[in-house]
């Protein structure tokens, strides 16, 4: 209750020192650095659509079936126009032509829930919608390996007590979160 948080929610890597950031949560393989990183979970890139959309259109059996399919894409940083998959352990890239491009992942998720097409987001972003039956994940057999999630901070054991306390709380909460188990 005595913690004040100034959250910087961005999809790009920033210099924690230059930005004055004490703690960061990063979803990616990490480069070697002098920062302390604690692994807390993992997420996957998933393709999903609404049950009504899938009932009308059918479920794709292979990523190539996304070519020409209605797709809702996002122009958010970190999103790519090429969607990558693994097919028999070989990298397969598909470049769907979106019918709708939005600037935020939440907009793409909402559009997919409304039946406007397939979208590609991180599994934690749609976990509650999948659990509620509003979205279904397709092509799971072709997904890339999960991406690790880390809590990062500088100083290790020499970090200020307030930072260490926040890191301990955050690590525990994220490790217990069911949507971060890949």
């Amino acid at each position: 209750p005595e913690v004040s948080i100034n959250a910087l929610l961005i999809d790009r890597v920033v210099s924690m020192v230059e930005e004055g950031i004490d703690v960061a949560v990063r979803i990616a393989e990490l480069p070697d650095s002098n920062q302390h990183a604690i692994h807390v979970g993992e997420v996957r890139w998933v393709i999903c659509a609404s049950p009504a959309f899938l009932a009308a259109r059918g479920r794709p059996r292979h990523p190539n079936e996304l070519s020409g399919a209605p797709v809702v894409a996002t122009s958010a940083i970190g999103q790519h126009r090429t969607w990558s998959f693994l097919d028999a352990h070989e990298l397969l890239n598909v470049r769907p032509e979106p019918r709708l491009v939005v600037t935020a992942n939440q907009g793409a998720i909402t559009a997919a829930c409304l039946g406007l097409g397939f979208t590609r987001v991180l599994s934690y972003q749609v976990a509650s919608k999948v659990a509620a039956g509003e979205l279904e994940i397709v092509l799971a057999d072709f997904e890339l390996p999960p991406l690790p999630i880390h809590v990062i901070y500088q100083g290790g054991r020499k970090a200020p007590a307030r930072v260490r306390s926040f890191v301990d709380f955050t690590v525990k909460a994220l490790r217990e979160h069911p949507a971060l188990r890949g």
Side-chain angles (χ1 to χ4, degrees), residues 66-129:
L66 295 173
S67 295
V71 166
V72 179
T74 176
S75 61
I77 295 173
Q79 285 279 26
H80 304 283
R81 291 297 176 127
T82 301
W83 294 357
S84 297
F85 299 90
L86 285 179
D87 186 8
H89 305 291
E90 296 289 325
L91 187 64
L92 170 67
N93 292 314
V94 175
R95 190 171 174 91
E97 289 298 322
R99 75 167 13 171
L100 173 64
V101 178
V102 295
T103 58
N105 290 341
Q106 189 55 54
I109 293 165
T110 299
C113 286
L114 293 172
L116 297 181
F118 297 102
T119 196
R120 177 181 175 257
V121 293
L122 290 171
S123 56
Y124 82 92
Q125 296 171 316
V126 292
S128 64
K129 301 286 188 191

